[in-house]
Amino acid sequence: MKNILVTGGAGFIGSAFVRRMVSKHPEYAIVVFDKMTYAGNTDNLIPVSKSQNFQLVQGDIADREAVRSAFESYGIDTVVNFAAETHVDRSILSPDAFIYSNVVGVHILLESAQKHGIERFLHVSTDEVYGDIEGDHLSVEDDPFKPNSPYAASKAGGDLMVRAYHVTHGLNTVVTRGSNTFGPYQYPEKLIPFFITEALEDRPLPVYGDGLQMRDWLHVDDHAGGVETVLLKGKAGEAYNIAGENQEHNIDVIRLMLKLLNKPETLIKYVPDREGHDRRYGMKCDKLKALGWEREYNQFEPAVEKTIAWYKENEWWWRKIKTGEYLEYYKQQYAARLAAASS
Ligand code: TYD
């Protein structure tokens, strides 16, 4: 392993992985391959932009020619695929892009990897492939897939295609399935950065349904560390959960953010629920721990506090995002919901 193509490396989790690998592993050349959709942002890569072992190429994983050219130009021997459409609400409003990148794109990347004799292919998947979990069950890697949103179904499709390339073609693949991730540089459409940046401006916080849904929260640096561990030590053909082991009700996360921001709970607005909203995600990650992975962030409150401090100190980063396309999306997703809100 020498030359690593990190697809989606300008996004939230991808860029955290790139920043980590570029500084920790000067022995690898890191080539980011990113379509630069609304969520891909070169600002996320500023900390590594001048590093010797870093390159940025604009390209789409569903474009065979662009993938071939990147593989050949940089002598790529390893692929880490973060490229994906990721936001559940957008997958309900317009699912086409999800099928295109998360299913067709993954397939084209796999096919190209196989043709070019790629030595290792790591695919980044999600706990959402397991669907809503019942009782106090925690998902393990061999659990059946029961995706419920178009986003989750598209990720399950890509995840299974990776399996098929391993079994059918003998491609050296590994898959990671991460929990809900938070931290610096997260596009402010996801719960934590959306609510932090809205609360800083004293704007209403639209809580879907009763707010009692549960998510398992994982810091982005721990997610990136999990991907690194699986890349270096995972067994070919296997999948590994990356969990925060920190399940919280949405409303408790929201109240904690308001407390840390010193903002009133009157900002909370209960709005009509997301369609098909999963109640709970939670996973075991013993398999990853057996490879030696450990979390750096084991306490949720200080991790949220640090994240809030980052958004306060980096208004330049998110203020320019919350314009144009973002405002269009906001209107489509929230205008009618907020009009129907109960406090
Ligand atoms: P999100 O960050 O969209 O992640 P995911 O849907 O992939 O879990 O949402 C996290 C939780 O927060 C989820 O249960 C939906 C809820 N949520 C709201 O209540 N209001 C919002 O405006 C958003 C974006 C999310």
Side-chain angles (χ1 to χ4, degrees):
M1 185 162 83
K2 251 169 46 203
N3 301 324
I4 309 177
L5 193 75
V6 183
T7 59
F12 166 51
I13 308 173
S15 69
F17 176 76
V18 169
R19 294 189 301 272
R20 179 187 190 92
M21 294 298 281
V22 166
S23 58
K24 212 175 145 184
H25 292 287
E27 71 276 24
Y28 302 141
I30 304 292
V31 181
V32 169
F33 183 87
D34 199 295
K35 193 178 173 184
M36 294 296 171
T37 63
Y38 78 92
N41 186 347
T42 50
D43 287 346
N44 301 357
L45 296 168
I46 290 173
V48 292
S49 61
K50 297 203 166 63
S51 306
Q52 294 288 316
N53 59 337
F54 167 79
Q55 292 277 345
L56 173 63
V57 181
Q58 183 166 5
D60 180 351
I61 57 167
D63 177 346
R64 275 193 180 83
E65 179 48 31
V67 172
R68 183 200 61 75
S69 161
F71 279 0
E72 287 175 8
S73 308
Y74 297 97
I76 296 300
D77 53 34
T78 303
V79 174
V80 180
N81 179 40
F82 288 93
E85 291 292 333
T86 65
H87 194 43
V88 173
D89 292 321
R90 288 187 192 252
S91 82
I92 297 168
L93 292 171
S94 25
D96 286 12
F98 289 72
I99 311 303
Y100 178 78
S101 290
N102 303 358
V103 183
V104 178
V106 171
H107 171 246
I108 289 172
L109 198 56
L110 283 162
E111 188 191 55
S112 311
Q114 197 229 330
K115 269 195 195 145
H116 284 83
I118 292 297
E119 292 165 18
R120 182 79 148 166
F121 187 107
L122 185 147
H123 177 69
V124 176
S125 187
T126 166
D127 61 358
E128 300 200 24
V129 298
Y130 301 120
D132 211 5
I133 52 174
E134 279 167 27
D136 49 15
H137 179 72
L138 292 173
S139 303
V140 292
E141 290 81 356
D142 287 335
D143 279 357
F145 284 5
K146 290 186 183 166
N148 292 320
S149 68
Y151 160 68
S154 70
K155 287 298 288 184
D159 192 320
L160 290 173
M161 194 55 83
V162 174
R163 175 188 162 85
Y165 265 79
H166 174 71
V167 177
T168 305
H169 299 295
L171 189 66
N172 181 330
T173 64
V174 272
V175 171
T176 59
R177 301 190 186 122
S179 300
N180 276 71
T181 304
F182 69 101
Y185 300 101
Q186 187 171 27
Y187 192 88
E189 63 187 353
K190 300 287 198 305
L191 180 75
I192 289 184
F194 176 42
F195 278 25
I196 292 172
T197 55
E198 292 292 276
L200 284 172
E201 301 198 289
D202 300 303
R203 289 166 52 84
L205 307 182
V207 179
Y208 295 156
D210 60 9
L212 294 176
Q213 305 83 3
M214 288 190 105
R215 295 293 182 265
D216 173 40
W217 292 99
L218 171 70
H219 191 276
V220 69
D221 292 341
D222 287 331
H223 194 152
V227 173
E228 177 193 7
T229 301
V230 173
L231 179 66
L232 299 177
K233 301 186 189 160
K235 187 165 167 255
E238 296 289 316
Y240 295 85
N241 291 343
I242 310 178
E245 295 184 299
N246 170 51
Q247 289 173 53
E248 305 278 348
H249 287 113
N250 288 347
I251 195 66
D252 294 333
V253 175
I254 294 159
R255 291 205 172 108
L256 172 65
M257 291 192 284
L258 287 170
K259 182 189 89 172
L260 296 171
L261 284 157
N262 201 18
K263 294 285 181 181
E265 291 197 5
T266 49
L267 291 180
I268 293 174
K269 303 291 169 205
Y270 287 93
V271 303
D273 209 350
R274 172 188 279 172
E275 300 84 347
H277 198 170
D278 284 337
R279 289 298 279 184
R280 187 165 83 86
Y281 302 136
M283 297 190 291
K284 280 195 180 156
C285 57
D286 299 348
K287 210 170 148 181
L288 177 58
K289 286 181 182 166
L291 298 182
W293 173 78
E294 280 175 13
R295 276 184 302 270
E296 213 179 297
Y297 293 87
N298 272 312
Q299 283 188 312
F300 188 51
E301 181 163 338
V304 173
E305 200 169 5
K306 209 172 151 192
T307 302
I308 288 174
W310 188 88
Y311 283 90
K312 279 185 170 171
E313 284 157 20
N314 292 282
E315 285 197 16
W316 67 272
W317 182 87
W318 58 267
R319 283 210 182 271
K320 60 183 175 190
I321 291 174
K322 288 189 141 189
T323 56
E325 188 277 344
Y326 178 92
L327 295 180
E328 279 305 305
Y329 166 72
Y330 179 91
K331 207 162 79 191
Q332 221 187 339
Q333 180 62 22
Y334 295 107
R337 276 199 161 85
L338 281 167
S342 58
S343 299

